[in-house]
């Protein structure tokens, strides 16, 4: 609608400045040294929601980081959309690889460079500004509720409790989230599913102290070597995960589904060039699109042990550790997979070492109901602003709480992401395109309008 | 001799206090932040040598850390012993595992607890005090030269140059070093050889940046996983090193030699208990004594990559690295082995990653000439003060420069160590027994006396 476009054109600079202010707050949920900043970020989200026209806005404390709630109920008879987002961000290290400060946002080449610009501050804030647009132009077509949390990057441990305790307050018809990506602005796409996650940490302990590698080398099991052997054994020569039962619950897609999935535009040469790789890798028998969309994976996220400082130290370390996470697909259950991993990893530990396995967090996979009217509304909204229907794709990432919404609130979730895979999520130099930001703000009101209309029918 | 014993009893407290002062200086050669402390340590060694009666004492600068030289030439016609030691120490981390400050020496349970107490400040200082004993009691039986360096723990990169440039000044009949261990004070032993060393660092690089493990997981080679697979492949199921040619130059001992070697007292139960292990590990077909003495080994000294901080980060790292060192035995050449390792590691790298291999330092193995009169002198000296002949053993550690002495100065080296394997060398809570310290000071003058006598014959 022209009235929306006019309002947004008029206020676009302010919209951006407000986002930059949000990006300047280092709300790193994984690191306790940022606890105060994370709370400060929640307070600032609260303020922005109030300014945009939300009511009942509240910073709700949890056992961990707070959840910001706010809503605008114009008519209980109208449909209600629950908008979810998260104001917390991933740690910024390795700092030395950033071209500018992770929390000192810079606009360059038409992009916003900062931690959280795409994941997820830049994306959830589009909803706040789209909401403002509808409120200030008196065109809000439905009720809207906001739930912006601060623990998404650490597994949303306290969100489940919040959902349980606030079922009434969170009553809605659908959940809308912008925390994923599109193929490109030229080829807009819409997620039809997300992978689940199981994040584990393992420690292999050998001798009760670091030893001199000359005096003891060759006589005792080296925990670093053993950890490497154990990790190496988790994939076979075809890069299948070797954990017994790992694939048992994996949904096999029909040839038709796989063909449809692979019809999405994918330029392997450009993909490799962007990553600086001479070859890709992955599970035998599947395409890159399938490997990142419909197949479960196991990745080492971090590994450490022994002397890692400057120069050399001839030590035989007492222990070595690794952070290992698995991406899951329907119908894998993340708790069951976590248990399978633990049992297997403990089982393959050789004599001479002790192994401890702990579970960090996780979530089960999710498949969007593409026949849901909200999915149609999202599809039409994108059609209206991008001029073409979105391509349905399976996202590789995980938003563990999506499965939770279904379980606790009985709500389906629509994943209308406006980011790009190249946004360096969780990496140095995270970015978000200015055009993606504004395009999102432009598209979101159409979603609400179409959803309200379709709901009426 | 009684005169020695009397002098030592009279000054034993001062001997200890002087050592503690030396241990308070954090002369960590591997870490550039300690460069000034390392120089300060050299200056203090110079002062102690002068006080003990040495002449021509000088702190000789090198491209790295300085070498302290001093001598006492009583008669050019008499034999000359070149005493080698090192005042630099290993890094102290992990600091949290120390029961007391690494550079804040504590006397407890009859032991000196501090970094460098056994390796090698406590041991080379025995020579300074033994020298003082002979000088002050006018009983010095031969000429003595001291060369105490500051780069032993980082590969003695500049010692070779120093030897080349000081051949005349370093002229001697034998090199004497106390930088190894004995089986025990009850079972004194004498090293008949040392393993060589090749210390390498490897880095595996995958994508040009850290990636989101959900968006890219399963589609690109994970450098941490690949590094683990590569390291895992370096040992086969019998724990033999798989690098082609690795064993080609290894001297096979005769069954008699192996039997003699294995006749040394070894209590496997006590060994495991001390290390807190339920099982030992090593190359199939060899005993623990052989695995640490006459067989080459390959150990991971450190490994790191990806997110190693608090909590979780779902990153697919851009690179992963490891420090890997190999202990070598006669006749393996450390340069040749380093080249074999590099060639092999680069060869086994799969498509999708790049590998870089760099050489830190190393040295070739050494076998003591047990028919050398200096070996007899050392054996008799130990017999005189311990009351029993030392058991000949092969040491597992490495003192790379020993081979250098033979090459540059044409000198054989005697390794008369007074430490214990349980001294936690290179580990937290390094210690050195007070009795070992004093026993060493008591024994060393006998070495010089017997050596001078045997040399005359």
């Amino acid at each position: 609608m022209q009235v929306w476009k006019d309002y947004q054109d008029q206020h676009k600079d302010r919209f951006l400045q407000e986002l930059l202010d949000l990006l300047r707050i280092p709300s790193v949920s994984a690191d306790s040294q940022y606890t105060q900043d994370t709370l400060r970020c929640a307070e600032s989200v609260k303020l922005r929601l109030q300014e945009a026209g939300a009511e009942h806005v509240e910073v709700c404390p949890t056992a961990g980081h707070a959840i910001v709630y706010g809503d605008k109920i114009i008519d209980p008879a109208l449909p209600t959309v629950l908008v979810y987002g998260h104001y917390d961000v991933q740690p910024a290290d390795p700092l030395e690889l950033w071209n500018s400060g992770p929390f000192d946002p810079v606009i360059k080449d038409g992009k916003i460079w900062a931690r959280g610009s795409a994941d997820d501050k830049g994306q959830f804030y589009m909803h706040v500004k789209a909401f403002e647009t509808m409120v200030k132009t008196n065109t809000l077509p439905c009720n809207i509720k906001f739930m912006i949390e601060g623990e998404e990057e650490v597994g949303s441990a306290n969100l489940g409790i919040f959902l349980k305790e606030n079922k009434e307050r969170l009553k809605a018809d659908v959940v809308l989230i912008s925390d994923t990506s599109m193929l490109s602005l030229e080829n807009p796409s819409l997620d039809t599913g997300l992978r689940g996650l199981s994040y584990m940490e393992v420690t292999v302990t050998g001798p009760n102290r670091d030893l001199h590698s000359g005096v003891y080398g060759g006589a005792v099991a080296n925990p670093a070597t053993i950890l490497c052997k154990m990790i190496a054994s988790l994939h076979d020569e075809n890069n299948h995960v070797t954990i017994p039962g790992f694939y048992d619950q994996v949904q096999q897609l029909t040839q038709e589904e796989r063909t449809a999935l692979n019809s999405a535009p994918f330029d392997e040469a450009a993909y490799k060039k962007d990553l600086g790789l001479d070859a890709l890798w992955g599970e035998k028998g599947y395409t890159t699109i399938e490997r990142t969309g419909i197949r479960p994976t196991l990745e080492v996220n971090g590994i450490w042990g022994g002397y890692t400082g400057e120069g050399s130290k001839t030590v035989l370390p007492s222990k070595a550790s690794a952070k290992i996470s698995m991406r899951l697909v329907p119908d894998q259950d993340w708790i069951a997979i976590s248990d399978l991993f633990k049992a297997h990893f403990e089982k393959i530990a050789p004599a001479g070492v002790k192994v401890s396995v702990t579970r960090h967090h996780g979530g089960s996979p999710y498949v969007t109901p593409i026949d849901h009217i909200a999915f149609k509304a999202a599809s039409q909204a994108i059609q209206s602003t991008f001029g073409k229907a979105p391509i349905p794709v399976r996202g590789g990432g995980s938003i563990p709480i999506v499965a939770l919404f279904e379980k606790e609130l009985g709500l389906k979730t629509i994943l209308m992401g406006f980011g790009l895979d190249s946004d360096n999520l969780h990496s140095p130099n995270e970015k978000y395109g200015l055009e993606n930001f504004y395009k999102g703000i432009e598209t979101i009101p159409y979603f609400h309008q179409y959803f309200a209309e379709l709901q009426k029918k």
Side-chain angles (χ1 to χ4, degrees), chain A residues 91-138:
Chain A
D93 57 282
L95 285 173
E96 64 275 16
L97 296 184
W98 284 78
N99 299 326
S100 55
F103 302 107
D104 178 16
V106 168
I107 306 295
K108 191 158 156 289
D109 309 329
K111 298 169 186 67
I112 307 159
W113 302 85
R115 169 61 82 226
S117 55
D119 180 13
D120 177 49
K121 288 173 177 173
Q123 292 213 64
F124 89 71
Y125 205 63
M126 299 182 307
H127 287 271
V128 180
K129 296 296 99 179
F131 172 69
E132 173 188 323
T133 302
M134 295 182 282
V135 170
K136 306 294 183 187
T137 57
N138 301 305

Side-chain angles (χ1 to χ4, degrees), chain A residues 292-414:
Chain A
T292 55
I294 60 168
R295 297 298 295 173
T297 63
L298 183 150
E299 297 290 346
V300 176
N301 303 109
I303 185 166
W304 67 100
Y307 184 68
T308 60
E310 185 187 341
S312 59
K313 184 179 176 188
T314 52
V315 66
L316 192 162
S318 169
K319 54 184 60 180
S321 303
K323 294 177 192 279
I324 299 174
S325 68
M326 293 158 284
R327 294 288 166 169
L328 312 177
V329 300
D331 297 315
Q332 289 177 298
D333 172 79
W334 80 277
I335 299 285
I337 291 293
S338 302
D339 293 345
L340 282 180
F341 177 93
K342 187 177 197 298
H344 178 66
F345 209 77
E346 288 169 346
K347 183 166 167 294
I348 62 177
V353 301
K354 292 180 195 64
V355 167
S356 77
V357 181
T358 56
R359 199 176 72 202
H360 270 298
H361 69 276
S364 290
Y366 176 75
V367 177
T368 312
I370 57 175
D371 48 3
H372 193 289
I373 59 166
F375 187 82
K376 291 194 177 67
S379 192
Q380 285 177 23
I382 289 169
Q383 168 95 52
S384 305
T385 54
F386 286 79
K388 58 168 80 168
I391 300 160
V393 299
R394 279 287 191 94
S398 307
I399 308 182
I401 44 76
V402 168
L404 212 58
F405 291 143
E406 179 129 36
K407 178 164 169 288
E408 298 299 338
L409 306 178
L411 294 178
K412 294 293 182 186
T413 295
I414 299 304

Side-chain angles (χ1 to χ4, degrees), chain A residues 268-286:
Chain A
E268 178 166 323
Y271 188 84
K272 285 194 291 190
K273 187 166 180 297
D274 170 50
L275 299 174
L277 295 172
D278 58 7
L280 296 182
W281 178 99
E283 188 182 7
K284 194 173 178 189
Y286 296 91

Side-chain angles (χ1 to χ4, degrees), chain A residues 8 14 20 33 58 75 81 89 97-98 119 122 137 209 228 242 263 320 323 340 375 380 389 392 404 419 424 449:
Chain A
Q8 290 169 0
R14 175 174 55 83
L20 298 188
Q33 72 169 293
E58 179 186 349
D75 175 357
V81 176
V89 299
L97 296 184
W98 284 78
D119 180 13
T137 57
R209 60 185 187 270
C228 286
T242 57
S263 67
K323 294 177 192 279
L340 282 180
F375 187 82
Q380 285 177 23
L404 212 58
N424 300 335
Q449 185 180 36

Side-chain angles (χ1 to χ4, degrees), chain A residues 63-77:
Chain A
H65 299 296
I67 293 167
V68 185
Y69 175 86
D71 61 33
K72 179 87 174 172
I73 309 300
I74 52 173
D75 175 357

Side-chain angles (χ1 to χ4, degrees), chain A residues 48-84:
Chain A
R48 295 308 187 191
L49 279 171
Q50 286 168 326
E51 292 170 349
E55 294 157 359
H56 316 106
V57 187
E58 179 186 349
V59 172
C60 313
T62 75
H65 299 296
I67 293 167
V68 185
Y69 175 86
D71 61 33
K72 179 87 174 172
I73 309 300
I74 52 173
D75 175 357
L78 286 172
T80 302
V81 176
L82 174 60
V83 174
Y84 165 89

